[in-house]
Structure formats: structure tokens, C-alpha cells
Amino acid sequence: ITLQLLKDGRLASCSSEYSIKIFSLITYKCELSLSGHTNTVTYVSQLENGKLLSSSYDNSIKIWNLKGMEFSCESTIQAHDHWVIKIIPLTGNRMASCSKDKKIKIWKSDAPFDLVSTLLGHTFWVNSIIQLKDQDILVSGSSGMDGTIRVWSLVSYECIQVICNVCCCYRNGLLEFENKVIVGGQKRIKIVNLTSYKIDHMIEDDNLGFVSAFGILRDGSVLCGCGAGKLFQLNPNFYSCYLVKENAHSSDVVSIIELDDSSFITSSDENSIKKWSY
């Protein structure tokens, strides 16, 4: 399950059940179930205008229109030649998708949702993408034989820099932090400096498993969702990382969402969502 906190205060989740579910964070009950994808829904995000974006192993992207408290499917884009792993909104009325077909695609986020550009260069699945805050810069991560992160201009749509030996394992495995990118890999976390384009530090620990998700907490530390349901806390300024919860879930923690009431929500591959106080 991957999660998205919606602008109206509800929580959207997606999973291998082919659907998107909308939960109330007051009653903790499912209020809506959006169906239409024909395979695992891999990611859900939201545009500024409130519309939802979803990606799927059915190779498509769907745009869901918000009407009151309800959502209906406005458009389906057959976006890639293989699984679509992530879809995110971009500035400038755009959105970006990445896929197992090794491509990143930039789309207009207004109907008819035209393709703007295709970014080529990765030689393995593109597992994750993020836009840097207040910048026309996209960062993408890959694993396997590629094992790089790439920095792209969202003006020229050209690759600015390739940083090697930085394996990004999961769709929530990239996090921007103070002009750096924290990258989750297998049994390691790497911190990449976006000024020098070099790896500042690597934290390696067999207990991490796959580092699948990150969330920034109010004290400035970073919560890491890891393999076997573990939660680690990372201080990127001091390059320290320690276990804070061993059995948060029974499987990999794949999403972390911080709330305004000094709590956060996690989700896992075991199909559970949990709320925590810290």
C-alpha cells in the first residue's frame, strides 16, 4: 500500500487490489473505493486543483476528477510500454511518470493531457522520481544494472548529471533534504550532495533490509521505513541512524505520512495502515 494525504484531510491509499481507497482520518473508515485499473495500483498523488493521479501495473495513468467529496475517472492514458511505477504532479501544469520500460514521461496536467517530453537514459527500471522544491529540477532513481540517480532540467528536459553507484530500490526511496537527496537502497542509505553531485555519506547496516520510504519529522530528523517492518530514525546532518521500532509492520514499510497533530501514518506490503504518535 502507498499513501497520499489529500488536501481535504482524507487519506488515499492504493495497493494490489486494483483499487484506490479514500479513508477518513476522523472515523478511520473507508469512504470511497475507486475502481477501473486492471492491475496493481502503484501510486496515487494529487494535483493542485484537487484531481487525483494514479499509476498502475496495467501500464496506464488515470486522472480522477473531484466533485464534492466524490471522485470519478476523467481520463485514462496508456502511458508506458510496461508497468507505471510512479506518477507525480509538477509545477507548470505538468505531471511526470516513470516506468519499468526505463522511461520518464512528462505530461500536461490539463485535458487532453498531452505528452510533453520523454526522458531517456536509464538502463533499468526507473523506480522513483521527485521534483526539487522551488526548482525546475527532477531527480530520478533506478536500481539493478543501472544503479544511478539522474538529475534532469524541467526546462530543457535534458539530463544535467548522472550520479553512479546510488541504487534506489523503491518508489518512495528518494527524499530531498537541505540541497541533498537521501536515497534508500538495499541495506544502505546514501546521501547525495546536489551541489557537488557526489555521495556525501553512506550508512550501511544489514538490519535495514530494503529502505523503502522516508518521512521528515518536525524535529528535522528523517524516519526511514525499512525491510521486515522496521522503522529507523536518521539524522542526515550527523549521518547517524538507529532503530526506533522493530515490528511496526510484518512486512516492508513502504509509505510514511506525517500529520499535523504530532503523529504519522505508515503502510506496508502486508496491506495494513497504522497511525503512530511520537
Side-chain angles (χ1 to χ4, degrees):
I1 295 178
T2 49
L3 305 175
Q4 173 68 47
L5 185 64
L6 302 181
K7 297 179 186 301
D8 61 12
R10 293 184 292 176
L11 185 73
S13 72
C14 59
S15 75
S16 58
E17 296 177 345
Y18 302 5
S19 65
I20 300 161
K21 294 185 183 296
I22 311 294
F23 291 90
S24 165
L25 289 178
I26 298 173
T27 65
Y28 304 112
K29 293 181 179 179
C30 179
E31 295 185 343
L32 289 172
S33 184
L34 311 180
S35 59
H37 282 293
T38 57
N39 206 327
T40 295
V41 186
T42 55
Y43 205 80
V44 61
S45 57
Q46 191 171 30
L47 297 172
E48 278 296 320
N49 61 14
K51 293 181 181 181
L52 284 187
L53 307 174
S54 61
S55 58
S56 172
Y57 284 171
D58 65 13
N59 304 356
S60 78
I61 297 164
K62 287 185 181 289
I63 297 91
W64 305 84
N65 199 17
L66 176 64
K67 295 180 180 178
M69 299 293 283
E70 302 286 332
F71 287 97
S72 59
C73 185
E74 176 182 346
S75 185
T76 300
I77 304 170
Q78 293 303 316
H80 287 268
D81 300 323
H82 215 305
W83 299 345
V84 190
I85 296 174
K86 190 171 182 178
I87 176 74
I88 62 169
L90 303 175
T91 54
N93 296 320
R94 295 169 295 177
M95 53 190 183
S97 60
C98 62
S99 170
K100 189 179 177 180
D101 68 9
K102 310 172 189 177
K103 300 173 185 176
I104 302 161
K105 292 189 177 183
I106 312 296
W107 311 85
K108 293 299 292 181
S109 59
D110 298 323
F113 310 108
D114 292 329
L115 179 66
V116 175
S117 184
T118 300
L119 312 185
L120 302 174
H122 280 293
T123 58
F124 200 70
W125 306 9
V126 188
N127 286 334
S128 189
I129 46 176
I130 57 170
Q131 182 177 8
L132 300 185
K133 186 178 179 181
D134 301 323
Q135 297 185 61
D136 269 332
I137 298 293
L138 185 79
V139 177
S140 60
S142 180
S143 60
M145 297 173 291
D146 184 313
T148 68
I149 64 171
R150 290 175 179 258
V151 182
W152 307 84
S153 166
L154 287 174
V155 177
S156 65
Y157 301 113
E158 295 179 351
C159 184
I160 299 170
Q161 191 72 36
V162 179
I163 301 133
C164 297
N165 300 314
V166 190
C167 182
C168 176
C169 288
Y170 202 77
R171 58 186 63 91
N172 288 322
L174 295 175
L175 177 72
E176 181 185 5
F177 186 89
E178 297 180 356
N179 204 37
K180 298 176 182 179
V181 171
I182 303 172
V183 186
Q186 185 178 8
K187 301 180 181 179
R188 60 180 58 91
I189 297 168
K190 293 189 177 182
I191 301 173
V192 177
N193 190 306
L194 290 176
T195 301
S196 64
Y197 299 117
K198 293 182 178 179
I199 300 169
D200 271 359
H201 197 79
M202 179 179 73
I203 297 168
E204 194 166 15
D205 187 333
D206 287 347
N207 291 318
L208 290 169
F210 282 100
V211 184
S212 305
F214 295 110
I216 298 179
L217 303 182
R218 290 189 179 184
D219 63 2
S221 64
V222 174
L223 195 63
C224 309
C226 301
K230 297 174 183 176
L231 291 173
F232 280 76
Q233 195 161 359
L234 168 69
N235 189 321
N237 294 317
F238 295 98
Y239 306 126
S240 60
C241 187
Y242 59 92
L243 179 68
V244 293
K245 189 69 177 177
E246 185 159 9
N247 297 304
H249 291 270
S250 61
S251 186
D252 296 359
V253 179
V254 297
S255 282
I256 301 171
I257 302 286
E258 190 193 18
L259 302 178
D260 292 333
D261 59 354
S262 296
S263 65
F264 60 92
I265 295 174
T266 59
S267 66
S268 168
D269 279 342
E270 58 170 29
N271 291 337
S272 71
I273 302 171
K274 295 184 178 182
K275 183 179 179 183
W276 305 85
S277 177
Y278 66 87

Tab-separated table of all heavy atoms in Angstrom, residues 219-263:
chain	number	residue	atom	x	y	z
A	219	ASP	N	11.151	17.482	14.207
A	219	ASP	CA	12.434	17.827	14.812
A	219	ASP	C	13.570	17.866	13.786
A	219	ASP	O	14.728	18.067	14.138
A	219	ASP	CB	12.788	16.855	15.951
A	219	ASP	CG	12.972	15.422	15.470
A	219	ASP	OD1	12.860	15.180	14.250
A	219	ASP	OD2	13.227	14.546	16.317
A	220	GLY	N	13.232	17.691	12.518
A	220	GLY	CA	14.230	17.751	11.454
A	220	GLY	C	14.889	16.425	11.146
A	220	GLY	O	15.667	16.328	10.199
A	221	SER	N	14.574	15.404	11.915
A	221	SER	CA	15.122	14.086	11.612
A	221	SER	C	14.260	13.409	10.548
A	221	SER	O	13.171	13.872	10.209
A	221	SER	CB	15.203	13.232	12.872
A	221	SER	OG	13.906	12.984	13.383
A	222	VAL	N	14.769	12.315	10.035
A	222	VAL	CA	14.095	11.595	8.956
A	222	VAL	C	13.741	10.195	9.441
A	222	VAL	O	14.592	9.473	9.965
A	222	VAL	CB	14.995	11.515	7.710
A	222	VAL	CG1	14.348	10.647	6.631
A	222	VAL	CG2	15.274	12.915	7.166
A	223	LEU	N	12.479	9.827	9.273
A	223	LEU	CA	12.026	8.486	9.604
A	223	LEU	C	12.167	7.617	8.355
A	223	LEU	O	11.756	8.021	7.268
A	223	LEU	CB	10.580	8.522	10.072
A	223	LEU	CG	10.046	7.280	10.791
A	223	LEU	CD1	10.811	7.042	12.096
A	223	LEU	CD2	8.561	7.437	11.074
A	224	CYS	N	12.755	6.456	8.532
A	224	CYS	CA	13.016	5.556	7.410
A	224	CYS	C	12.183	4.294	7.559
A	224	CYS	O	12.268	3.610	8.587
A	224	CYS	CB	14.490	5.169	7.372
A	224	CYS	SG	15.651	6.551	7.452
A	225	GLY	N	11.405	3.970	6.549
A	225	GLY	CA	10.672	2.715	6.509
A	225	GLY	C	11.528	1.657	5.846
A	225	GLY	O	12.047	1.864	4.742
A	226	CYS	N	11.693	0.538	6.509
A	226	CYS	CA	12.665	-0.453	6.068
A	226	CYS	C	12.068	-1.843	5.975
A	226	CYS	O	10.881	-2.060	6.237
A	226	CYS	CB	13.863	-0.452	7.031
A	226	CYS	SG	14.698	1.147	7.138
A	227	GLY	N	12.924	-2.796	5.617
A	227	GLY	CA	12.505	-4.169	5.465
A	227	GLY	C	12.073	-4.801	6.770
A	227	GLY	O	12.439	-4.346	7.860
A	228	ALA	N	11.254	-5.834	6.649
A	228	ALA	CA	10.757	-6.596	7.795
A	228	ALA	C	10.009	-5.730	8.795
A	228	ALA	O	9.974	-6.025	9.987
A	228	ALA	CB	11.905	-7.329	8.494
A	229	GLY	N	9.393	-4.649	8.319
A	229	GLY	CA	8.536	-3.822	9.167
A	229	GLY	C	9.260	-2.923	10.141
A	229	GLY	O	8.663	-2.446	11.106
A	230	LYS	N	10.527	-2.616	9.895
A	230	LYS	CA	11.307	-1.816	10.836
A	230	LYS	C	11.246	-0.325	10.503
A	230	LYS	O	11.167	0.059	9.340
A	230	LYS	CB	12.764	-2.277	10.836
A	230	LYS	CG	12.954	-3.707	11.307
A	230	LYS	CD	14.396	-4.141	11.156
A	230	LYS	CE	14.566	-5.600	11.568
A	230	LYS	NZ	15.949	-6.072	11.350
A	231	LEU	N	11.300	0.494	11.545
A	231	LEU	CA	11.414	1.941	11.409
A	231	LEU	C	12.740	2.389	12.021
A	231	LEU	O	13.035	2.078	13.174
A	231	LEU	CB	10.262	2.651	12.120
A	231	LEU	CG	8.863	2.493	11.514
A	231	LEU	CD1	7.821	3.114	12.438
A	231	LEU	CD2	8.781	3.123	10.129
A	232	PHE	N	13.523	3.111	11.235
A	232	PHE	CA	14.768	3.694	11.704
A	232	PHE	C	14.638	5.205	11.687
A	232	PHE	O	13.877	5.774	10.889
A	232	PHE	CB	15.942	3.290	10.809
A	232	PHE	CG	16.486	1.914	11.077
A	232	PHE	CD1	15.808	0.785	10.644
A	232	PHE	CD2	17.685	1.743	11.757
A	232	PHE	CE1	16.307	-0.485	10.881
A	232	PHE	CE2	18.198	0.475	12.000
A	232	PHE	CZ	17.510	-0.639	11.564
A	233	GLN	N	15.371	5.876	12.556
A	233	GLN	CA	15.426	7.331	12.556
A	233	GLN	C	16.815	7.767	12.111
A	233	GLN	O	17.829	7.282	12.622
A	233	GLN	CB	15.107	7.902	13.937
A	233	GLN	CG	14.791	9.398	13.890
A	233	GLN	CD	14.044	9.872	15.115
A	233	GLN	OE1	13.740	9.089	16.013
A	233	GLN	NE2	13.731	11.148	15.168
A	234	LEU	N	16.842	8.687	11.156
A	234	LEU	CA	18.091	9.153	10.549
A	234	LEU	C	18.277	10.622	10.835
A	234	LEU	O	17.354	11.422	10.660
A	234	LEU	CB	18.033	8.911	9.030
A	234	LEU	CG	19.104	9.565	8.160
A	234	LEU	CD1	20.473	8.926	8.408
A	234	LEU	CD2	18.730	9.442	6.675
A	235	ASN	N	19.460	11.001	11.288
A	235	ASN	CA	19.843	12.407	11.367
A	235	ASN	C	20.837	12.668	10.243
A	235	ASN	O	22.016	12.328	10.363
A	235	ASN	CB	20.471	12.742	12.722
A	235	ASN	CG	20.679	14.240	12.894
A	235	ASN	OD1	21.060	14.922	11.951
A	235	ASN	ND2	20.427	14.751	14.082
A	236	PRO	N	20.366	13.260	9.117
A	236	PRO	CA	21.248	13.423	7.955
A	236	PRO	C	22.421	14.362	8.200
A	236	PRO	O	23.426	14.294	7.504
A	236	PRO	CB	20.306	13.981	6.879
A	236	PRO	CG	18.935	13.666	7.349
A	236	PRO	CD	19.005	13.729	8.845
A	237	ASN	N	22.295	15.261	9.174
A	237	ASN	CA	23.390	16.199	9.434
A	237	ASN	C	24.548	15.539	10.167
A	237	ASN	O	25.701	15.971	10.055
A	237	ASN	CB	22.873	17.399	10.235
A	237	ASN	CG	21.894	18.237	9.443
A	237	ASN	OD1	22.108	18.505	8.258
A	237	ASN	ND2	20.795	18.640	10.061
A	238	PHE	N	24.238	14.492	10.943
A	238	PHE	CA	25.280	13.811	11.704
A	238	PHE	C	25.521	12.388	11.198
A	238	PHE	O	26.323	11.654	11.771
A	238	PHE	CB	24.917	13.781	13.193
A	238	PHE	CG	24.881	15.149	13.821
A	238	PHE	CD1	23.672	15.823	13.973
A	238	PHE	CD2	26.036	15.771	14.237
A	238	PHE	CE1	23.625	17.083	14.544
A	238	PHE	CE2	26.002	17.042	14.804
A	238	PHE	CZ	24.805	17.697	14.967
A	239	TYR	N	24.810	12.028	10.129
A	239	TYR	CA	24.989	10.726	9.500
A	239	TYR	C	24.808	9.572	10.492
A	239	TYR	O	25.521	8.575	10.450
A	239	TYR	CB	26.366	10.632	8.826
A	239	TYR	CG	26.642	11.741	7.850
A	239	TYR	CD1	27.782	12.528	7.959
A	239	TYR	CD2	25.755	12.021	6.811
A	239	TYR	CE1	28.043	13.556	7.068
A	239	TYR	CE2	26.000	13.041	5.908
A	239	TYR	CZ	27.147	13.808	6.048
A	239	TYR	OH	27.403	14.834	5.162
A	240	SER	N	23.841	9.741	11.392
A	240	SER	CA	23.565	8.694	12.363
A	240	SER	C	22.186	8.101	12.093
A	240	SER	O	21.264	8.789	11.655
A	240	SER	CB	23.617	9.255	13.785
A	240	SER	OG	22.653	10.273	13.958
A	241	CYS	N	22.056	6.801	12.355
A	241	CYS	CA	20.804	6.099	12.080
A	241	CYS	C	20.605	5.023	13.136
A	241	CYS	O	21.550	4.276	13.440
A	241	CYS	CB	20.865	5.471	10.691
A	241	CYS	SG	19.337	4.742	10.099
A	242	TYR	N	19.429	4.966	13.737
A	242	TYR	CA	19.202	3.964	14.768
A	242	TYR	C	17.762	3.450	14.709
A	242	TYR	O	16.853	4.139	14.251
A	242	TYR	CB	19.516	4.514	16.164
A	242	TYR	CG	18.716	5.735	16.565
A	242	TYR	CD1	17.516	5.619	17.259
A	242	TYR	CD2	19.159	7.019	16.244
A	242	TYR	CE1	16.784	6.727	17.624
A	242	TYR	CE2	18.430	8.139	16.599
A	242	TYR	CZ	17.250	7.987	17.289
A	242	TYR	OH	16.518	9.100	17.647
A	243	LEU	N	17.594	2.234	15.192
A	243	LEU	CA	16.295	1.569	15.175
A	243	LEU	C	15.374	2.177	16.223
A	243	LEU	O	15.753	2.331	17.379
A	243	LEU	CB	16.483	0.079	15.457
A	243	LEU	CG	15.230	-0.795	15.496
A	243	LEU	CD1	14.609	-0.899	14.108
A	243	LEU	CD2	15.572	-2.184	16.029
A	244	VAL	N	14.143	2.548	15.821
A	244	VAL	CA	13.172	3.081	16.780
A	244	VAL	C	11.966	2.153	16.960
A	244	VAL	O	11.273	2.232	17.970
A	244	VAL	CB	12.684	4.492	16.384
A	244	VAL	CG1	13.808	5.493	16.501
A	244	VAL	CG2	12.085	4.510	14.986
A	245	LYS	N	11.701	1.286	15.990
A	245	LYS	CA	10.588	0.343	16.118
A	245	LYS	C	10.903	-0.887	15.265
A	245	LYS	O	11.096	-0.776	14.058
A	245	LYS	CB	9.280	0.988	15.649
A	245	LYS	CG	8.034	0.172	15.935
A	245	LYS	CD	7.725	0.110	17.408
A	245	LYS	CE	6.440	-0.642	17.684
A	245	LYS	NZ	6.166	-0.774	19.127
A	246	GLU	N	10.944	-2.053	15.931
A	246	GLU	CA	11.361	-3.256	15.209
A	246	GLU	C	10.223	-3.916	14.464
A	246	GLU	O	10.404	-4.421	13.359
A	246	GLU	CB	11.999	-4.250	16.168
A	246	GLU	CG	12.564	-5.464	15.448
A	246	GLU	CD	13.600	-6.201	16.253
A	246	GLU	OE1	13.776	-5.880	17.439
A	246	GLU	OE2	14.224	-7.107	15.683
A	247	ASN	N	9.042	-3.939	15.024
A	247	ASN	CA	7.926	-4.655	14.403
A	247	ASN	C	6.751	-3.718	14.139
A	247	ASN	O	5.621	-4.013	14.518
A	247	ASN	CB	7.489	-5.818	15.294
A	247	ASN	CG	8.590	-6.851	15.474
A	247	ASN	OD1	9.097	-7.377	14.483
A	247	ASN	ND2	8.968	-7.115	16.712
A	248	ALA	N	7.037	-2.611	13.481
A	248	ALA	CA	5.956	-1.681	13.136
A	248	ALA	C	4.938	-2.359	12.230
A	248	ALA	O	3.733	-2.139	12.347
A	248	ALA	CB	6.522	-0.438	12.469
A	249	HIS	N	5.426	-3.177	11.315
A	249	HIS	CA	4.586	-3.982	10.428
A	249	HIS	C	5.238	-5.354	10.296
A	249	HIS	O	6.389	-5.551	10.708
A	249	HIS	CB	4.453	-3.337	9.047
A	249	HIS	CG	3.658	-2.063	9.036
A	249	HIS	ND1	2.299	-2.026	8.840
A	249	HIS	CD2	4.047	-0.770	9.179
A	249	HIS	CE1	1.875	-0.767	8.869
A	249	HIS	NE2	2.912	0.016	9.069
A	250	SER	N	4.531	-6.266	9.694
A	250	SER	CA	5.089	-7.605	9.495
A	250	SER	C	5.801	-7.750	8.157
A	250	SER	O	6.356	-8.803	7.852
A	250	SER	CB	3.983	-8.657	9.603
A	250	SER	OG	2.996	-8.459	8.611
A	251	SER	N	5.776	-6.681	7.345
A	251	SER	CA	6.485	-6.676	6.066
A	251	SER	C	7.070	-5.279	5.852
A	251	SER	O	6.938	-4.403	6.703
A	251	SER	CB	5.530	-7.054	4.932
A	251	SER	OG	6.230	-7.195	3.716
A	252	ASP	N	7.709	-5.070	4.696
A	252	ASP	CA	8.406	-3.805	4.432
A	252	ASP	C	7.489	-2.601	4.598
A	252	ASP	O	6.347	-2.600	4.125
A	252	ASP	CB	8.963	-3.795	3.007
A	252	ASP	CG	10.025	-4.858	2.776
A	252	ASP	OD1	10.344	-5.599	3.726
A	252	ASP	OD2	10.539	-4.937	1.649
A	253	VAL	N	8.003	-1.550	5.241
A	253	VAL	CA	7.269	-0.286	5.381
A	253	VAL	C	7.500	0.520	4.103
A	253	VAL	O	8.632	0.844	3.765
A	253	VAL	CB	7.750	0.510	6.605
A	253	VAL	CG1	6.987	1.823	6.722
A	253	VAL	CG2	7.594	-0.319	7.879
A	254	VAL	N	6.428	0.854	3.380
A	254	VAL	CA	6.579	1.436	2.049
A	254	VAL	C	6.085	2.876	1.927
A	254	VAL	O	6.314	3.524	0.906
A	254	VAL	CB	5.888	0.557	0.983
A	254	VAL	CG1	6.553	-0.810	0.914
A	254	VAL	CG2	4.403	0.413	1.263
A	255	SER	N	5.390	3.390	2.955
A	255	SER	CA	4.950	4.790	2.940
A	255	SER	C	4.979	5.344	4.355
A	255	SER	O	4.666	4.630	5.313
A	255	SER	CB	3.522	4.943	2.396
A	255	SER	OG	3.487	4.852	1.000
A	256	ILE	N	5.361	6.621	4.459
A	256	ILE	CA	5.327	7.339	5.730
A	256	ILE	C	4.731	8.718	5.466
A	256	ILE	O	5.223	9.460	4.616
A	256	ILE	CB	6.726	7.490	6.346
A	256	ILE	CG1	7.362	6.116	6.594
A	256	ILE	CG2	6.657	8.292	7.645
A	256	ILE	CD1	8.821	6.193	7.006
A	257	ILE	N	3.657	9.057	6.182
A	257	ILE	CA	2.990	10.347	6.039
A	257	ILE	C	2.934	11.020	7.408
A	257	ILE	O	2.380	10.447	8.358
A	257	ILE	CB	1.553	10.194	5.503
A	257	ILE	CG1	1.545	9.478	4.141
A	257	ILE	CG2	0.849	11.543	5.432
A	257	ILE	CD1	2.011	10.314	2.986
A	258	GLU	N	3.498	12.230	7.535
A	258	GLU	CA	3.394	12.957	8.797
A	258	GLU	C	2.102	13.766	8.815
A	258	GLU	O	1.715	14.371	7.808
A	258	GLU	CB	4.572	13.895	9.009
A	258	GLU	CG	4.591	14.464	10.412
A	258	GLU	CD	5.544	15.645	10.586
A	258	GLU	OE1	5.938	16.243	9.577
A	258	GLU	OE2	5.853	15.963	11.739
A	259	LEU	N	1.420	13.789	9.961
A	259	LEU	CA	0.207	14.570	10.155
A	259	LEU	C	0.506	15.792	11.013
A	259	LEU	O	1.592	15.933	11.576
A	259	LEU	CB	-0.878	13.700	10.807
A	259	LEU	CG	-1.262	12.429	10.036
A	259	LEU	CD1	-2.304	11.648	10.809
A	259	LEU	CD2	-1.779	12.767	8.645
A	260	ASP	N	-0.472	16.692	11.135
A	260	ASP	CA	-0.260	17.950	11.864
A	260	ASP	C	-0.381	17.806	13.378
A	260	ASP	O	-0.099	18.740	14.109
A	260	ASP	CB	-1.263	19.015	11.386
A	260	ASP	CG	-0.995	19.441	9.950
A	260	ASP	OD1	0.167	19.344	9.521
A	260	ASP	OD2	-1.945	19.860	9.279
A	261	ASP	N	-0.830	16.662	13.860
A	261	ASP	CA	-1.093	16.512	15.291
A	261	ASP	C	-0.013	15.685	16.004
A	261	ASP	O	-0.290	14.925	16.913
A	261	ASP	CB	-2.462	15.859	15.512
A	261	ASP	CG	-2.557	14.484	14.857
A	261	ASP	OD1	-1.606	14.097	14.151
A	261	ASP	OD2	-3.575	13.794	15.065
A	262	SER	N	1.235	15.857	15.564
A	262	SER	CA	2.364	15.126	16.156
A	262	SER	C	2.177	13.619	16.046
A	262	SER	O	2.477	12.859	16.962
A	262	SER	CB	2.574	15.528	17.617
A	262	SER	OG	2.927	16.882	17.708
A	263	SER	N	1.677	13.194	14.920
A	263	SER	CA	1.538	11.768	14.647
A	263	SER	C	1.923	11.517	13.196
A	263	SER	O	2.074	12.449	12.406
A	263	SER	CB	0.116	11.290	14.930
A	263	SER	OG	-0.802	11.905	14.048
